[in-house]
Amino acid sequence: MRILVTGGTGFIGKALVQRLLQRGDEVTVLSRRPESVKTIFGEAAQAWSSLSAWTPDRAFHAVINLAGEPIIDRPWTAARKQVLRDSRIGITNQLITAIKNAAQKPAVFLSGSAIGIYGDTGTADMHESASAADDFGARLCAEWEQAALPAEALGVRVCLLRTGLVMHADGGMLKKMQLPFKLGLGSRLGDGRQIMSWVHRHDYLNALLFLLDNPECRGAFNLTAPTPVSNRVFTATLAHSLQRKAFLVTPEWALKPILGERSLLLFGGQRALPAGLLARGFAFRFPTLADALESAGVN
């Protein structure tokens, strides 16, 4: 397949492009830093710095849209919120325009989203039919999804990737957490009751390929393992996998003044279940947290 990937040099995207290349796909990576594409993939993947390179006569079988600035790293000022919107909704709008102008449309458009669309939902099971919440993160995800849906009217199958906490030791949340836990400074967040819906990166990539290759799959999908856990359980399991103890607690009152609206990302949670994937026969290789941490390279 000829596939266009945005966000192809990030923690998830880089691993995805490598998987696509390994299976023989022809991959073009859209990146603001095309030199990094060459550094990572050499001549195996083509690098574009702008969507203007997608001329109407250029045909892709699929588009995978993973672009998006990190959501928790910086304060949510008005300017930062606009950057977050532009890096998600803006690029998605540009992709829709390019698809519309293409003489031959791609068969499928996989477009990013996140389980944050549900807001803080306590311990209630969140399937893909659940409504979007009204906090900033939820609205951002909802607008991101709405930007992708016009591809359906162009005859393109659309899958919305409601991503949970993707885990592997070489990046993402887990890489940031390992050092403090190894030093015995790992801590529970608040009362630890908030639910963490996680997924091993291997299963995440398998799910993407499953959605890519199965024409009956369309609509929103929770890309999460079937066994979400509380922050209390996650903290204890990670500490155990590192042969450490985690007695500390980071109280919400200490971080909320610093994080502001972003505190919902740490002290809120969603019990997002992969109902759509399971209903279509997708099998997780790492359905439990302990096995996932062992395989993810935590040591």
Side-chain angles (χ1 to χ4, degrees), residues 35 53 58 64 135 143 180 207 217 219 221 224 244 257 280 295-297:
E35 67 279 359
R58 179 66 182 262
I64 304 177
D135 59 87
E143 292 173 22
C217 294
F221 290 87
T224 56
R244 297 292 190 275
R280 288 160 180 81
S295 171

Side-chain angles (χ1 to χ4, degrees), residues 174 177 181 233-243 293 298:
L174 199 54
M177 294 178 72
F181 271 75
V233 170
F234 186 94
T235 301
T237 306
L238 177 56
H240 179 75
S241 71
L242 293 168
Q243 299 181 349
L293 289 174
V298 174

Side-chain angles (χ1 to χ4, degrees), residues 273-288:
L273 300 176
L277 287 171
L278 294 175
R280 288 160 180 81
F282 179 78
F284 287 84
R285 183 174 177 183
F286 304 106
T288 66

Side-chain angles (χ1 to χ4, degrees), residues 7 43 147 190 204:
E43 298 301 318
Y204 186 90

